[in-house]
Amino acid sequence: MSGPDNLGAAMGLVAAMGGHLHGKHDRPPGSEVVWFGCARLADASRTAERARRLGPESAMRKPLRSD
């Protein structure tokens, strides 16, 4: 899987995670949008790491809720 070519492209992806729409007449993303994107990226990274550590076997054994 390939990543972004440069830092500007990477920041654009983070800004998109923070809610920046990259519209034709939109201004560049601000620090708050980038901050929200970084927070979402960190959450996704932690979730992926936990899922990787648990593995598919434990996910099948433990239900998320007992209904």
Side-chain angles (χ1 to χ4, degrees), residues 2-3 9 11 13 18 20 22 25 28 48 54 56 58 60 62-64 66:
S2 65
M11 290 304 294
L13 293 173
H20 188 47
H22 297 289
H25 298 290
L54 287 175
S58 63
M60 293 183 149
K62 297 179 186 176
L64 294 177
S66 57

Side-chain angles (χ1 to χ4, degrees), residues 28-41:
S31 58
E32 189 172 351
V33 170
V34 173
W35 180 262
F36 285 140
C38 286
R40 289 196 60 201
L41 183 60

Side-chain angles (χ1 to χ4, degrees), residues 16-57:
M17 290 184 78
H20 188 47
L21 300 176
H22 297 289
K24 187 174 183 180
H25 298 290
D26 285 348
R27 295 184 350 203
S31 58
E32 189 172 351
V33 170
V34 173
W35 180 262
F36 285 140
C38 286
R40 289 196 60 201
L41 183 60
D43 291 342
S45 176
R46 281 191 294 268
T47 302
E49 179 61 26
R50 286 182 186 145
R52 186 191 63 78
R53 270 191 267 134
L54 287 175
E57 304 86 27

